[in-house]
Amino acid sequence: MQRSIDLALENVRAGGKPFACLLVRDGQVVLEATNKVASTGDVTAHAEVMALRQAAEQGLTDFSDCDVYITAHPCPMCLGALYYAAPRSVIYAATREQENEHYEDGNRYMSLATFYDEYPLAPEDRALPMSQGRIADPAAPFRAWSEQHPQS
């Protein structure tokens, strides 16, 4: 846990945002990543996402025996990525409330305090304008997938 805090502090000193992520297997750090949003301009370059990208580059795709250590409770994007990755566990240092006391990373559609609240809303009720586009067969790609990958 302390290593994630140390990495986050190093990232802040280097001009980055205060987040880091470690992937640990059998008590050994497999990889470390920091938030790269400020240095890359990629809004998805959060520490957790960067760690998962690095893991994929190294051919690591099974996280079932890995623990993920992160600086703060994950944002909804990172939480979703972690659900997809399915590690054994996620251990975070700061709660959302502790983070929010000193840091704000929102935009015109959300703040740290409101970001999670957006998800259960109906698409038309979210701050981010969202609607289903009109197209004759929106399920075509999914039907093609299921035809090529029949469930056994």
Side-chain angles (χ1 to χ4, degrees), residues 98-110:
Q98 290 169 322
E99 174 188 357
N100 199 29
E101 286 179 43
H102 307 282
Y103 181 80
E104 175 56 59
D105 197 25
N107 62 40
R108 65 185 173 153
Y109 297 121
M110 59 81 174

PDB file of all heavy atoms in Angstrom, residues 98-110:
ATOM      1  N   GLN A  98     -12.103  11.143   1.585  1.00  0.00           N
ATOM      2  CA  GLN A  98     -10.757  11.618   1.917  1.00  0.00           C
ATOM      3  C   GLN A  98     -10.095  12.274   0.712  1.00  0.00           C
ATOM      4  O   GLN A  98      -9.443  13.309   0.838  1.00  0.00           O
ATOM      5  CB  GLN A  98      -9.903  10.458   2.431  1.00  0.00           C
ATOM      6  CG  GLN A  98     -10.327   9.973   3.793  1.00  0.00           C
ATOM      7  CD  GLN A  98      -9.658   8.658   4.184  1.00  0.00           C
ATOM      8  OE1 GLN A  98      -9.457   7.768   3.355  1.00  0.00           O
ATOM      9  NE2 GLN A  98      -9.328   8.540   5.458  1.00  0.00           N
ATOM     10  N   GLU A  99     -10.279  11.682  -0.450  1.00  0.00           N
ATOM     11  CA  GLU A  99      -9.734  12.258  -1.678  1.00  0.00           C
ATOM     12  C   GLU A  99     -10.382  13.609  -1.958  1.00  0.00           C
ATOM     13  O   GLU A  99      -9.710  14.592  -2.253  1.00  0.00           O
ATOM     14  CB  GLU A  99      -9.987  11.299  -2.844  1.00  0.00           C
ATOM     15  CG  GLU A  99      -9.603  11.855  -4.190  1.00  0.00           C
ATOM     16  CD  GLU A  99     -10.049  10.973  -5.346  1.00  0.00           C
ATOM     17  OE1 GLU A  99     -10.619   9.880  -5.118  1.00  0.00           O
ATOM     18  OE2 GLU A  99      -9.825  11.398  -6.497  1.00  0.00           O
ATOM     19  N   ASN A 100     -11.705  13.665  -1.836  1.00  0.00           N
ATOM     20  CA  ASN A 100     -12.464  14.864  -2.175  1.00  0.00           C
ATOM     21  C   ASN A 100     -12.132  16.054  -1.267  1.00  0.00           C
ATOM     22  O   ASN A 100     -12.320  17.202  -1.664  1.00  0.00           O
ATOM     23  CB  ASN A 100     -13.961  14.547  -2.131  1.00  0.00           C
ATOM     24  CG  ASN A 100     -14.790  15.548  -2.896  1.00  0.00           C
ATOM     25  OD1 ASN A 100     -14.317  16.146  -3.864  1.00  0.00           O
ATOM     26  ND2 ASN A 100     -16.020  15.730  -2.478  1.00  0.00           N
ATOM     27  N   GLU A 101     -11.604  15.796  -0.073  1.00  0.00           N
ATOM     28  CA  GLU A 101     -11.200  16.896   0.823  1.00  0.00           C
ATOM     29  C   GLU A 101     -10.080  17.731   0.218  1.00  0.00           C
ATOM     30  O   GLU A 101      -9.950  18.908   0.537  1.00  0.00           O
ATOM     31  CB  GLU A 101     -10.690  16.328   2.156  1.00  0.00           C
ATOM     32  CG  GLU A 101     -11.743  15.802   3.075  1.00  0.00           C
ATOM     33  CD  GLU A 101     -11.130  15.242   4.352  1.00  0.00           C
ATOM     34  OE1 GLU A 101     -10.209  15.871   4.909  1.00  0.00           O
ATOM     35  OE2 GLU A 101     -11.572  14.168   4.785  1.00  0.00           O
ATOM     36  N   HIS A 102      -9.261  17.120  -0.645  1.00  0.00           N
ATOM     37  CA  HIS A 102      -8.053  17.787  -1.123  1.00  0.00           C
ATOM     38  C   HIS A 102      -7.920  17.821  -2.640  1.00  0.00           C
ATOM     39  O   HIS A 102      -6.984  18.423  -3.165  1.00  0.00           O
ATOM     40  CB  HIS A 102      -6.811  17.076  -0.562  1.00  0.00           C
ATOM     41  CG  HIS A 102      -6.840  16.932   0.914  1.00  0.00           C
ATOM     42  ND1 HIS A 102      -6.540  17.983   1.763  1.00  0.00           N
ATOM     43  CD2 HIS A 102      -7.170  15.886   1.706  1.00  0.00           C
ATOM     44  CE1 HIS A 102      -6.667  17.571   3.008  1.00  0.00           C
ATOM     45  NE2 HIS A 102      -7.042  16.302   3.003  1.00  0.00           N
ATOM     46  N   TYR A 103      -8.816  17.173  -3.341  1.00  0.00           N
ATOM     47  CA  TYR A 103      -8.627  17.001  -4.785  1.00  0.00           C
ATOM     48  C   TYR A 103      -9.981  16.992  -5.485  1.00  0.00           C
ATOM     49  O   TYR A 103     -10.926  16.369  -5.010  1.00  0.00           O
ATOM     50  CB  TYR A 103      -7.905  15.667  -5.046  1.00  0.00           C
ATOM     51  CG  TYR A 103      -7.623  15.389  -6.493  1.00  0.00           C
ATOM     52  CD1 TYR A 103      -6.540  15.976  -7.128  1.00  0.00           C
ATOM     53  CD2 TYR A 103      -8.436  14.532  -7.226  1.00  0.00           C
ATOM     54  CE1 TYR A 103      -6.273  15.725  -8.464  1.00  0.00           C
ATOM     55  CE2 TYR A 103      -8.187  14.272  -8.564  1.00  0.00           C
ATOM     56  CZ  TYR A 103      -7.104  14.872  -9.172  1.00  0.00           C
ATOM     57  OH  TYR A 103      -6.848  14.627 -10.491  1.00  0.00           O
ATOM     58  N   GLU A 104     -10.059  17.671  -6.602  1.00  0.00           N
ATOM     59  CA  GLU A 104     -11.271  17.653  -7.433  1.00  0.00           C
ATOM     60  C   GLU A 104     -10.846  17.435  -8.875  1.00  0.00           C
ATOM     61  O   GLU A 104      -9.932  18.085  -9.363  1.00  0.00           O
ATOM     62  CB  GLU A 104     -12.042  18.960  -7.312  1.00  0.00           C
ATOM     63  CG  GLU A 104     -13.243  19.066  -8.235  1.00  0.00           C
ATOM     64  CD  GLU A 104     -14.247  17.926  -8.068  1.00  0.00           C
ATOM     65  OE1 GLU A 104     -14.772  17.745  -6.963  1.00  0.00           O
ATOM     66  OE2 GLU A 104     -14.495  17.211  -9.052  1.00  0.00           O
ATOM     67  N   ASP A 105     -11.500  16.507  -9.526  1.00  0.00           N
ATOM     68  CA  ASP A 105     -11.122  16.177 -10.895  1.00  0.00           C
ATOM     69  C   ASP A 105     -12.353  16.092 -11.787  1.00  0.00           C
ATOM     70  O   ASP A 105     -12.426  15.265 -12.673  1.00  0.00           O
ATOM     71  CB  ASP A 105     -10.368  14.837 -10.905  1.00  0.00           C
ATOM     72  CG  ASP A 105      -9.593  14.628 -12.196  1.00  0.00           C
ATOM     73  OD1 ASP A 105      -9.246  15.624 -12.851  1.00  0.00           O
ATOM     74  OD2 ASP A 105      -9.338  13.463 -12.552  1.00  0.00           O
ATOM     75  N   GLY A 106     -13.305  16.952 -11.554  1.00  0.00           N
ATOM     76  CA  GLY A 106     -14.535  16.913 -12.324  1.00  0.00           C
ATOM     77  C   GLY A 106     -14.453  17.694 -13.614  1.00  0.00           C
ATOM     78  O   GLY A 106     -13.402  18.185 -14.014  1.00  0.00           O
ATOM     79  N   ASN A 107     -15.595  17.811 -14.238  1.00  0.00           N
ATOM     80  CA  ASN A 107     -15.706  18.596 -15.466  1.00  0.00           C
ATOM     81  C   ASN A 107     -17.123  19.160 -15.552  1.00  0.00           C
ATOM     82  O   ASN A 107     -17.841  19.153 -14.548  1.00  0.00           O
ATOM     83  CB  ASN A 107     -15.330  17.761 -16.699  1.00  0.00           C
ATOM     84  CG  ASN A 107     -16.241  16.569 -16.906  1.00  0.00           C
ATOM     85  OD1 ASN A 107     -17.459  16.644 -16.719  1.00  0.00           O
ATOM     86  ND2 ASN A 107     -15.668  15.449 -17.325  1.00  0.00           N
ATOM     87  N   ARG A 108     -17.553  19.605 -16.696  1.00  0.00           N
ATOM     88  CA  ARG A 108     -18.861  20.259 -16.790  1.00  0.00           C
ATOM     89  C   ARG A 108     -20.033  19.321 -16.549  1.00  0.00           C
ATOM     90  O   ARG A 108     -21.147  19.759 -16.318  1.00  0.00           O
ATOM     91  CB  ARG A 108     -19.022  20.979 -18.119  1.00  0.00           C
ATOM     92  CG  ARG A 108     -19.035  20.063 -19.316  1.00  0.00           C
ATOM     93  CD  ARG A 108     -19.071  20.858 -20.584  1.00  0.00           C
ATOM     94  NE  ARG A 108     -18.904  19.962 -21.719  1.00  0.00           N
ATOM     95  CZ  ARG A 108     -19.379  20.206 -22.914  1.00  0.00           C
ATOM     96  NH1 ARG A 108     -20.053  21.324 -23.121  1.00  0.00           N
ATOM     97  NH2 ARG A 108     -19.177  19.369 -23.889  1.00  0.00           N
ATOM     98  N   TYR A 109     -19.785  18.006 -16.593  1.00  0.00           N
ATOM     99  CA  TYR A 109     -20.869  17.047 -16.391  1.00  0.00           C
ATOM    100  C   TYR A 109     -20.863  16.371 -15.026  1.00  0.00           C
ATOM    101  O   TYR A 109     -21.845  15.753 -14.649  1.00  0.00           O
ATOM    102  CB  TYR A 109     -20.831  15.956 -17.473  1.00  0.00           C
ATOM    103  CG  TYR A 109     -21.055  16.493 -18.856  1.00  0.00           C
ATOM    104  CD1 TYR A 109     -20.105  16.315 -19.841  1.00  0.00           C
ATOM    105  CD2 TYR A 109     -22.225  17.176 -19.180  1.00  0.00           C
ATOM    106  CE1 TYR A 109     -20.306  16.798 -21.123  1.00  0.00           C
ATOM    107  CE2 TYR A 109     -22.431  17.664 -20.460  1.00  0.00           C
ATOM    108  CZ  TYR A 109     -21.472  17.477 -21.424  1.00  0.00           C
ATOM    109  OH  TYR A 109     -21.673  17.953 -22.682  1.00  0.00           O
ATOM    110  N   MET A 110     -19.750  16.452 -14.306  1.00  0.00           N
ATOM    111  CA  MET A 110     -19.694  15.742 -13.029  1.00  0.00           C
ATOM    112  C   MET A 110     -18.600  16.312 -12.139  1.00  0.00           C
ATOM    113  O   MET A 110     -17.731  17.032 -12.590  1.00  0.00           O
ATOM    114  CB  MET A 110     -19.463  14.243 -13.253  1.00  0.00           C
ATOM    115  CG  MET A 110     -18.185  13.887 -13.995  1.00  0.00           C
ATOM    116  SD  MET A 110     -16.738  13.872 -12.933  1.00  0.00           S
ATOM    117  CE  MET A 110     -15.510  13.246 -14.040  1.00  0.00           C
TER     118      MET A 110
END
